[in-house]
Amino acid sequence: MSLKAIHVTEVPSLDHFPENPSLCPSRFSTGVELSKGVSYKIPKFLVVGHRGHGMNMLQSPDPRFSDLKENSIISFNAASKLPLDFIEFDVQVTRDGCPVIFHDDFIYSEDNGVVYEKRVTEVSLSEFMSYGPQRETGKRGKPLLRKSKEGKILKWSVQGDDSLCTLQEAFEKVEPKLGFNIELKLDDNLVYPSDHLSRLVLPILKEVCDYGKDRPIIFSSFHPDAALLVRKLQSTYPVFFLTNGGTEVYHDERRNSLEEAIKLCVEGGLQGIVSEVKGVFRNPAAVNKIKESKLSLMTYGKLNNVAEAVYMQHLMGIEGVIVDHVEEMTEAVREMIKPSNVDTHDTKPKPNFSERELSFLLKLIPELIQH
């Protein structure tokens, strides 16, 4: 089924979906405390691996961005060997109803030198799996290319390559104690009729319920109605709303500020917010509002690869960060938040930075968030 862009006012209400908390069995993940209401308590400061061991940026001179294929089993398993709490990855559903792990809306390839694109949700599972490295010995997959933000078509070349994978494979092949932050990936340029939205959400929920077992799981989405629908259809796993925190503007006003994100979560019974870190630094007063609303708060963004910026967030009461430089940031967080720095009379961790370093940090943050 092809989608077309329509105005948000044309989208039917989600009210016709019956609430079905029993869609997933009442099985709470280890380390996750989801109350009978809507509040969700993150038990510690979380470090989450972005797309596993980190995203790929093919044009970056930093070799860490082309280390392991993002959103792949090899990347997930490499992340599982680190002191990470969760990995984050993007899930879409193929034309024949199979949840697959892939970030971009379109998959790019070439045939006889001619580049072509196909929307991930409009290809079958077998076609999706035919791109890139193949598991079967001697079998050659179709070339896998990627379109950069600048519009350039690049060969998807990484040092540690791997085949594309399904959500089921991730459940079966990745260390079961590693938490999954499952982002429901939808196209920002489309508005989805509710019947189509349900066809994209339900297969994901089914696989999570079938294979999730005791694994810690958090759902998240930039799409307000997708997040609300997941919350409406199950009550086992927490649902977070992803937002740019006002750093970008969308037709859907619910996406345009932390205040709107708070309103959406409170009214829809969501458990937390994942904001672009710049949005939080530019609007630090929102952190208290989020806490007062009994919502959890995590962040994502390039600044989360800067140790000082992560520590600043810890001091602000933010509960977790999604990072790309997973090895460096897990080590930095371990050093910054040591149990030995907490005495029996004061439960607030003490900084492991010198006064000079903290002074530099305070001067640096405003400059960084302008870029």
Side-chain angles (χ1 to χ4, degrees), residues 25-69:
S26 181
R27 180 176 57 225
F28 292 90
S29 304
T30 304
V32 170
E33 297 179 26
L34 186 59
S35 70
K36 293 182 180 179
V38 300
S39 61
Y40 166 72
K41 181 181 179 182
I42 294 179
K44 56 177 284 191
F45 187 77
L46 299 182
V47 180
V48 182
H50 188 208
R51 305 181 198 173
H53 196 265
M55 69 180 291
N56 296 148
M57 292 177 61
L58 304 180
Q59 290 180 292
S60 174
D62 188 335
R64 290 173 293 187
F65 286 113
S66 57
D67 183 16
L68 300 174
K69 172 70 74 59

Short mmCIF file of all heavy atoms in Angstrom, two decimals, residues 25-69:
data_model
loop_
_atom_site.label_atom_id
_atom_site.label_comp_id
_atom_site.label_asym_id
_atom_site.label_seq_id
_atom_site.Cartn_x
_atom_site.Cartn_y
_atom_site.Cartn_z
N PRO A 25 1.39 -10.14 27.62
CA PRO A 25 1.13 -10.67 28.96
C PRO A 25 1.74 -9.76 30.01
O PRO A 25 2.67 -9.01 29.75
CB PRO A 25 1.82 -12.04 28.94
CG PRO A 25 2.84 -11.93 27.86
CD PRO A 25 2.26 -11.02 26.83
N SER A 26 1.22 -9.85 31.21
CA SER A 26 1.71 -9.01 32.30
C SER A 26 3.07 -9.54 32.75
O SER A 26 3.17 -10.36 33.65
CB SER A 26 0.72 -9.04 33.48
OG SER A 26 1.18 -8.22 34.52
N ARG A 27 4.12 -9.04 32.05
CA ARG A 27 5.46 -9.55 32.29
C ARG A 27 6.39 -8.36 32.33
O ARG A 27 6.70 -7.75 31.32
CB ARG A 27 5.85 -10.49 31.15
CG ARG A 27 7.22 -11.10 31.27
CD ARG A 27 7.44 -12.09 30.14
NE ARG A 27 7.27 -11.46 28.84
CZ ARG A 27 6.60 -12.00 27.84
NH1 ARG A 27 6.01 -13.14 28.00
NH2 ARG A 27 6.49 -11.38 26.69
N PHE A 28 6.82 -8.00 33.50
CA PHE A 28 7.63 -6.80 33.65
C PHE A 28 9.11 -7.15 33.54
O PHE A 28 9.56 -8.14 34.11
CB PHE A 28 7.34 -6.12 34.99
CG PHE A 28 5.97 -5.53 35.02
CD1 PHE A 28 4.89 -6.29 35.47
CD2 PHE A 28 5.74 -4.26 34.56
CE1 PHE A 28 3.61 -5.75 35.48
CE2 PHE A 28 4.47 -3.72 34.57
CZ PHE A 28 3.40 -4.46 35.03
N SER A 29 9.83 -6.31 32.81
CA SER A 29 11.24 -6.55 32.55
C SER A 29 12.09 -6.27 33.78
O SER A 29 11.78 -5.41 34.59
CB SER A 29 11.71 -5.66 31.40
OG SER A 29 10.91 -5.86 30.26
N THR A 30 13.18 -6.98 33.89
CA THR A 30 14.13 -6.76 34.97
C THR A 30 14.66 -5.33 34.90
O THR A 30 15.07 -4.87 33.85
CB THR A 30 15.30 -7.75 34.85
OG1 THR A 30 14.77 -9.06 34.84
CG2 THR A 30 16.27 -7.57 35.99
N GLY A 31 14.66 -4.64 36.02
CA GLY A 31 15.18 -3.28 36.04
C GLY A 31 14.18 -2.24 35.60
O GLY A 31 14.49 -1.06 35.54
N VAL A 32 12.98 -2.65 35.25
CA VAL A 32 11.95 -1.71 34.81
C VAL A 32 10.83 -1.71 35.83
O VAL A 32 10.31 -2.75 36.20
CB VAL A 32 11.40 -2.13 33.43
CG1 VAL A 32 10.18 -1.32 33.09
CG2 VAL A 32 12.46 -1.96 32.35
N GLU A 33 10.49 -0.53 36.27
CA GLU A 33 9.41 -0.41 37.25
C GLU A 33 8.28 0.40 36.64
O GLU A 33 8.35 1.62 36.55
CB GLU A 33 9.93 0.28 38.52
CG GLU A 33 11.02 -0.52 39.22
CD GLU A 33 11.54 0.19 40.44
OE1 GLU A 33 10.78 1.00 41.02
OE2 GLU A 33 12.70 -0.04 40.81
N LEU A 34 7.27 -0.28 36.15
CA LEU A 34 6.12 0.38 35.54
C LEU A 34 4.95 0.21 36.48
O LEU A 34 4.49 -0.89 36.74
CB LEU A 34 5.82 -0.27 34.18
CG LEU A 34 4.74 0.38 33.32
CD1 LEU A 34 5.10 1.82 33.02
CD2 LEU A 34 4.56 -0.41 32.04
N SER A 35 4.47 1.32 37.01
CA SER A 35 3.43 1.25 38.03
C SER A 35 2.07 1.00 37.40
O SER A 35 1.92 0.98 36.18
CB SER A 35 3.39 2.56 38.81
OG SER A 35 2.90 3.60 37.99
N LYS A 36 1.08 0.84 38.23
CA LYS A 36 -0.28 0.64 37.73
C LYS A 36 -0.79 1.89 37.02
O LYS A 36 -1.67 1.81 36.19
CB LYS A 36 -1.21 0.26 38.88
CG LYS A 36 -0.91 -1.10 39.50
CD LYS A 36 -1.88 -1.44 40.61
CE LYS A 36 -1.58 -2.80 41.22
NZ LYS A 36 -2.51 -3.13 42.32
N GLY A 37 -0.24 3.03 37.35
CA GLY A 37 -0.62 4.26 36.67
C GLY A 37 0.23 4.45 35.44
O GLY A 37 0.44 3.54 34.65
N VAL A 38 0.79 5.65 35.27
CA VAL A 38 1.57 5.93 34.08
C VAL A 38 3.03 6.19 34.40
O VAL A 38 3.84 6.32 33.50
CB VAL A 38 0.99 7.14 33.31
CG1 VAL A 38 -0.43 6.87 32.89
CG2 VAL A 38 1.06 8.42 34.16
N SER A 39 3.41 6.31 35.66
CA SER A 39 4.78 6.67 35.98
C SER A 39 5.73 5.50 35.74
O SER A 39 5.36 4.34 35.82
CB SER A 39 4.88 7.14 37.42
OG SER A 39 4.50 6.11 38.31
N TYR A 40 6.96 5.84 35.43
CA TYR A 40 7.98 4.85 35.13
C TYR A 40 9.26 5.31 35.79
O TYR A 40 9.69 6.44 35.62
CB TYR A 40 8.17 4.74 33.62
CG TYR A 40 9.41 3.99 33.19
CD1 TYR A 40 9.49 2.61 33.34
CD2 TYR A 40 10.48 4.66 32.61
CE1 TYR A 40 10.62 1.92 32.94
CE2 TYR A 40 11.62 3.96 32.20
CZ TYR A 40 11.67 2.60 32.36
OH TYR A 40 12.79 1.91 31.96
N LYS A 41 9.87 4.45 36.57
CA LYS A 41 11.07 4.82 37.30
C LYS A 41 12.28 4.13 36.69
O LYS A 41 12.38 2.91 36.66
CB LYS A 41 10.94 4.43 38.78
CG LYS A 41 12.15 4.81 39.61
CD LYS A 41 11.96 4.38 41.06
CE LYS A 41 13.18 4.74 41.90
NZ LYS A 41 13.01 4.29 43.30
N ILE A 42 13.23 4.94 36.19
CA ILE A 42 14.49 4.41 35.71
C ILE A 42 15.40 4.23 36.93
O ILE A 42 15.66 5.17 37.65
CB ILE A 42 15.14 5.35 34.68
CG1 ILE A 42 14.27 5.40 33.41
CG2 ILE A 42 16.55 4.89 34.33
CD1 ILE A 42 14.79 6.32 32.34
N PRO A 43 15.85 3.01 37.19
CA PRO A 43 16.55 2.73 38.44
C PRO A 43 17.95 3.31 38.55
O PRO A 43 18.52 3.35 39.63
CB PRO A 43 16.59 1.19 38.47
CG PRO A 43 16.52 0.79 37.04
CD PRO A 43 15.65 1.80 36.37
N LYS A 44 18.56 3.72 37.44
CA LYS A 44 19.92 4.25 37.46
C LYS A 44 20.12 5.13 36.23
O LYS A 44 19.25 5.21 35.36
CB LYS A 44 20.94 3.10 37.45
CG LYS A 44 20.75 2.16 36.27
CD LYS A 44 21.79 1.05 36.21
CE LYS A 44 23.11 1.59 35.72
NZ LYS A 44 24.08 0.51 35.41
N PHE A 45 21.26 5.81 36.18
CA PHE A 45 21.59 6.62 35.00
C PHE A 45 21.94 5.67 33.86
O PHE A 45 22.92 4.93 33.93
CB PHE A 45 22.75 7.55 35.31
CG PHE A 45 23.05 8.54 34.21
CD1 PHE A 45 22.25 9.65 34.04
CD2 PHE A 45 24.13 8.35 33.36
CE1 PHE A 45 22.52 10.57 33.03
CE2 PHE A 45 24.40 9.26 32.36
CZ PHE A 45 23.59 10.38 32.19
N LEU A 46 21.14 5.68 32.81
CA LEU A 46 21.30 4.72 31.72
C LEU A 46 22.22 5.25 30.62
O LEU A 46 22.17 6.42 30.27
CB LEU A 46 19.94 4.41 31.08
CG LEU A 46 18.86 3.78 31.96
CD1 LEU A 46 17.61 3.50 31.13
CD2 LEU A 46 19.36 2.49 32.61
N VAL A 47 23.03 4.36 30.08
CA VAL A 47 23.78 4.63 28.86
C VAL A 47 23.25 3.68 27.80
O VAL A 47 23.23 2.46 28.00
CB VAL A 47 25.28 4.43 29.05
CG1 VAL A 47 26.03 4.73 27.75
CG2 VAL A 47 25.81 5.34 30.17
N VAL A 48 22.79 4.24 26.69
CA VAL A 48 22.12 3.47 25.64
C VAL A 48 22.94 3.58 24.35
O VAL A 48 23.28 4.68 23.91
CB VAL A 48 20.70 4.01 25.40
CG1 VAL A 48 19.98 3.18 24.33
CG2 VAL A 48 19.90 4.02 26.71
N GLY A 49 23.25 2.45 23.74
CA GLY A 49 24.01 2.44 22.49
C GLY A 49 23.12 2.77 21.31
O GLY A 49 22.15 2.07 21.04
N HIS A 50 23.44 3.84 20.59
CA HIS A 50 22.65 4.29 19.45
C HIS A 50 22.81 3.34 18.27
O HIS A 50 23.92 3.11 17.78
CB HIS A 50 23.13 5.70 19.05
CG HIS A 50 22.28 6.36 18.03
ND1 HIS A 50 22.77 7.29 17.14
CD2 HIS A 50 20.96 6.24 17.74
CE1 HIS A 50 21.79 7.73 16.36
NE2 HIS A 50 20.68 7.10 16.70
N ARG A 51 21.72 2.74 17.85
CA ARG A 51 21.70 1.76 16.76
C ARG A 51 22.68 0.63 17.04
O ARG A 51 23.30 0.08 16.13
CB ARG A 51 21.98 2.42 15.42
CG ARG A 51 21.02 3.59 15.12
CD ARG A 51 21.26 4.23 13.77
NE ARG A 51 20.63 5.54 13.72
CZ ARG A 51 20.76 6.43 12.74
NH1 ARG A 51 21.48 6.10 11.67
NH2 ARG A 51 20.18 7.61 12.79
N GLY A 52 22.83 0.30 18.32
CA GLY A 52 23.72 -0.77 18.73
C GLY A 52 25.02 -0.19 19.24
O GLY A 52 25.08 0.47 20.28
N HIS A 53 26.09 -0.41 18.49
CA HIS A 53 27.43 0.05 18.87
C HIS A 53 27.70 1.47 18.38
O HIS A 53 28.80 1.99 18.56
CB HIS A 53 28.47 -0.91 18.30
CG HIS A 53 29.83 -0.80 18.91
ND1 HIS A 53 30.83 -0.04 18.37
CD2 HIS A 53 30.35 -1.35 20.05
CE1 HIS A 53 31.92 -0.13 19.12
NE2 HIS A 53 31.65 -0.92 20.16
N GLY A 54 26.70 2.12 17.78
CA GLY A 54 26.87 3.48 17.26
C GLY A 54 26.43 3.56 15.82
O GLY A 54 26.51 2.60 15.06
N MET A 55 25.95 4.74 15.42
CA MET A 55 25.46 4.94 14.07
C MET A 55 26.61 5.04 13.07
O MET A 55 27.76 5.29 13.44
CB MET A 55 24.62 6.23 14.00
CG MET A 55 25.42 7.51 14.16
SD MET A 55 24.40 9.01 14.08
CE MET A 55 23.92 8.99 12.36
N ASN A 56 26.29 4.83 11.78
CA ASN A 56 27.26 5.02 10.71
C ASN A 56 27.09 6.40 10.08
O ASN A 56 25.98 6.81 9.76
CB ASN A 56 27.07 3.97 9.61
CG ASN A 56 27.33 2.56 10.08
OD1 ASN A 56 26.73 1.61 9.60
ND2 ASN A 56 28.24 2.39 11.03
N MET A 57 28.18 7.13 9.96
CA MET A 57 28.23 8.39 9.22
C MET A 57 29.32 8.22 8.17
O MET A 57 30.51 8.36 8.47
CB MET A 57 28.51 9.57 10.14
CG MET A 57 27.38 9.86 11.11
SD MET A 57 27.77 11.22 12.26
CE MET A 57 28.02 12.58 11.12
N LEU A 58 28.92 7.87 6.95
CA LEU A 58 29.85 7.41 5.94
C LEU A 58 30.84 8.47 5.49
O LEU A 58 31.92 8.16 4.99
CB LEU A 58 29.07 6.86 4.74
CG LEU A 58 28.08 5.73 5.07
CD1 LEU A 58 27.38 5.25 3.82
CD2 LEU A 58 28.80 4.57 5.76
N GLN A 59 30.49 9.76 5.65
CA GLN A 59 31.38 10.83 5.23
C GLN A 59 32.25 11.36 6.36
O GLN A 59 33.08 12.24 6.16
CB GLN A 59 30.56 11.98 4.63
CG GLN A 59 29.93 11.65 3.28
CD GLN A 59 29.14 12.82 2.72
OE1 GLN A 59 28.11 13.20 3.27
NE2 GLN A 59 29.63 13.40 1.63
N SER A 60 32.06 10.84 7.56
CA SER A 60 32.80 11.34 8.71
C SER A 60 34.25 10.88 8.67
O SER A 60 34.53 9.71 8.38
CB SER A 60 32.16 10.87 10.02
OG SER A 60 32.96 11.24 11.12
N PRO A 61 35.20 11.77 8.98
CA PRO A 61 36.60 11.35 9.06
C PRO A 61 36.90 10.53 10.32
O PRO A 61 37.95 9.92 10.43
CB PRO A 61 37.36 12.69 9.10
CG PRO A 61 36.38 13.67 9.70
CD PRO A 61 35.03 13.23 9.21
N ASP A 62 35.95 10.51 11.26
CA ASP A 62 36.12 9.75 12.50
C ASP A 62 35.85 8.27 12.20
O ASP A 62 34.72 7.89 11.86
CB ASP A 62 35.14 10.26 13.56
CG ASP A 62 35.37 9.65 14.93
OD1 ASP A 62 35.91 8.53 15.00
OD2 ASP A 62 34.98 10.28 15.93
N PRO A 63 36.85 7.41 12.31
CA PRO A 63 36.67 6.00 11.95
C PRO A 63 35.66 5.26 12.82
O PRO A 63 35.17 4.20 12.43
CB PRO A 63 38.09 5.41 12.13
CG PRO A 63 38.76 6.32 13.09
CD PRO A 63 38.22 7.69 12.80
N ARG A 64 35.33 5.81 13.98
CA ARG A 64 34.35 5.15 14.85
C ARG A 64 32.97 5.11 14.21
O ARG A 64 32.16 4.24 14.52
CB ARG A 64 34.29 5.86 16.20
CG ARG A 64 35.54 5.67 17.05
CD ARG A 64 35.52 6.51 18.30
NE ARG A 64 35.60 7.95 17.99
CZ ARG A 64 35.73 8.90 18.91
NH1 ARG A 64 35.78 8.57 20.19
NH2 ARG A 64 35.80 10.17 18.57
N PHE A 65 32.69 6.06 13.30
CA PHE A 65 31.39 6.08 12.65
C PHE A 65 31.29 5.11 11.47
O PHE A 65 30.25 5.02 10.83
CB PHE A 65 31.05 7.50 12.18
CG PHE A 65 30.67 8.43 13.31
CD1 PHE A 65 31.47 9.51 13.65
CD2 PHE A 65 29.50 8.21 14.03
CE1 PHE A 65 31.11 10.36 14.69
CE2 PHE A 65 29.14 9.04 15.07
CZ PHE A 65 29.95 10.12 15.40
N SER A 66 32.39 4.43 11.17
CA SER A 66 32.34 3.40 10.12
C SER A 66 32.95 2.10 10.64
O SER A 66 33.48 1.31 9.87
CB SER A 66 33.09 3.87 8.87
OG SER A 66 34.44 4.19 9.18
N ASP A 67 32.84 1.90 11.92
CA ASP A 67 33.42 0.71 12.56
C ASP A 67 32.57 -0.53 12.27
O ASP A 67 32.99 -1.43 11.55
CB ASP A 67 33.55 0.95 14.06
CG ASP A 67 34.21 -0.21 14.79
OD1 ASP A 67 34.83 -1.05 14.11
OD2 ASP A 67 34.11 -0.28 16.02
N LEU A 68 31.36 -0.58 12.81
CA LEU A 68 30.48 -1.73 12.63
C LEU A 68 29.18 -1.28 11.99
O LEU A 68 28.70 -0.17 12.23
CB LEU A 68 30.17 -2.38 13.98
CG LEU A 68 31.37 -2.92 14.77
CD1 LEU A 68 30.92 -3.41 16.14
CD2 LEU A 68 32.07 -4.03 14.00
N LYS A 69 28.58 -2.13 11.19
CA LYS A 69 27.31 -1.81 10.53
C LYS A 69 26.25 -1.53 11.60
O LYS A 69 26.00 -2.36 12.47
CB LYS A 69 26.87 -2.97 9.64
CG LYS A 69 25.47 -2.85 9.04
CD LYS A 69 25.35 -1.78 7.99
CE LYS A 69 25.99 -2.16 6.70
NZ LYS A 69 25.46 -3.35 6.06
#
